[in-house]
Amino acid sequence: DTGVSQDPRHKITKRGQNVTFRCDPISEHNRLYWYRQTLGQGPEFLTYFQNEAQLEKSRLLSDRFSAERPKGSFSTLEIQRTEQGDSAMYLCASSLAPAGEVENIQYFGAGTRLSVL
Amino acid sequence: AQKITQTQPGMFVQEKEAVTLDCTYDTSDPSYGLFWYKQPSSGEMIFLIYQGSYDQQNATEGRYSLNFQKARKSANLVISASQLGDSAMYFCAISFGNEKLTFGTGTRLTIIP
């Protein structure tokens, strides 16, 4: 199995531009998560999908953020009208969540580091 | 709200010594999972070990073991025989059901040769 893949690894953009990140989960994993990590902090949850359905969104996910997982495989995270406060590492994780069980090991990609100038 | 606390921002340990990284949590939910992840400078979060709240035995994975004390709500990570490659950030996390992880602020571990 290949691991979780994220693209690009680094993105530098100017304030006000739109950016899109891609995440390819481990094949057969039905759950896909997005997290954001700022310097010196642990990752914070943004949103997650089970197959193609987006089941939860954090209040951190403002209207400028949108995530999709159209065919239940890869996912994209778009940020519109970027702000300097959006500068962070965006991490994607996937898991094969057994129904009704607490054990849900999430495997992470290497992340996309976004710098907004 | 559920909370995870890691009180050690940084630790320095001599190579080949054992090290304990502290993690406490706060929840009233009886069913939860506890996780430890390692984050090297490259940025990727690497899964290390998992403990379920109903598990009777402490989890072990190679040199990693989880000292789970449910009544004290602590889930400390123990790394035996530390190696230079263990230098990294370590995060404790908790989840409820098949849902999101809530992470602590992490501990930066530095192994000294």
Side-chain angles (χ1 to χ4, degrees):
Chain A
D1 257 348
T2 57
V4 177
S5 176
Q6 291 189 246
D7 183 69
R9 291 293 312 277
H10 303 275
K11 179 71 177 179
I12 300 173
T13 191
K14 292 183 179 179
R15 190 176 54 182
Q17 298 292 305
N18 299 345
V19 294
T20 300
F21 310 142
R22 177 179 169 123
C23 172
D24 287 89
I26 294 171
S27 59
E28 308 304 322
H29 277 191
N30 58 344
R31 292 210 169 200
L32 187 147
Y33 302 78
W34 286 99
Y35 293 84
R36 182 172 69 186
Q37 186 178 23
T38 54
L39 216 57
Q41 300 296 317
E44 294 177 293
F45 169 78
L46 292 177
T47 188
Y48 86 92
F49 295 84
Q50 177 158 311
N51 301 313
E52 64 275 9
Q54 189 172 18
L55 295 187
E56 187 177 347
K57 293 197 295 186
S58 162
R59 55 187 167 79
L60 291 176
L61 215 65
S62 76
D63 291 344
R64 297 184 297 105
F65 288 70
S66 63
E68 293 183 341
R69 193 183 184 197
K71 296 182 180 178
S73 56
F74 73 92
S75 175
T76 58
L77 178 67
E78 181 183 17
I79 309 174
Q80 295 183 327
R81 304 181 303 282
T82 52
E83 301 172 356
Q84 287 185 326
D86 297 331
S87 295
M89 174 81 90
Y90 290 83
L91 292 162
C92 176
S94 71
S95 70
L96 183 60
E101 290 193 25
V102 175
E103 183 172 354
N104 176 27
I105 297 170
Q106 296 179 30
Y107 296 92
F108 284 77
T112 294
R113 185 172 295 283
L114 173 66
S115 298
V116 182
L117 305 178
Chain B
Q2 289 81 13
K3 191 176 173 182
I4 285 273
T5 303
Q6 295 181 254
T7 57
Q8 305 153 310
M11 288 190 70
F12 290 84
V13 172
Q14 204 75 38
E15 189 180 5
K16 298 180 185 176
E17 289 186 352
V19 56
T20 298
L21 304 181
D22 294 342
C23 173
T24 58
Y25 56 94
D26 183 18
T27 181
S28 55
D29 195 314
S31 179
Y32 51 88
L34 294 157
F35 303 77
W36 278 92
Y37 284 85
K38 172 184 178 181
Q39 188 176 42
S41 55
S42 58
E44 184 175 357
M45 298 285 286
I46 301 167
F47 167 73
L48 295 178
I49 196 165
Y50 164 82
Q51 178 87 41
S53 61
Y54 293 120
D55 292 343
Q56 297 295 316
Q57 305 257 359
N58 284 345
T60 60
E61 289 285 351
R63 294 187 299 113
Y64 304 107
S65 60
L66 202 152
N67 183 3
F68 180 46
Q69 297 187 47
K70 193 170 182 177
R72 297 181 62 185
K73 295 186 178 178
S74 77
N76 298 340
L77 176 70
V78 180
I79 306 174
S80 64
S82 57
Q83 302 171 356
L84 295 178
D86 293 333
S87 293
M89 285 291 291
Y90 287 81
F91 291 95
C92 181
I94 191 168
S95 76
F96 304 88
N98 298 339
E99 295 184 2
K100 60 182 181 273
L101 293 169
T102 300
F103 287 86
T105 52
T107 296
R108 181 172 296 282
L109 176 64
T110 302
I111 307 299
I112 305 166

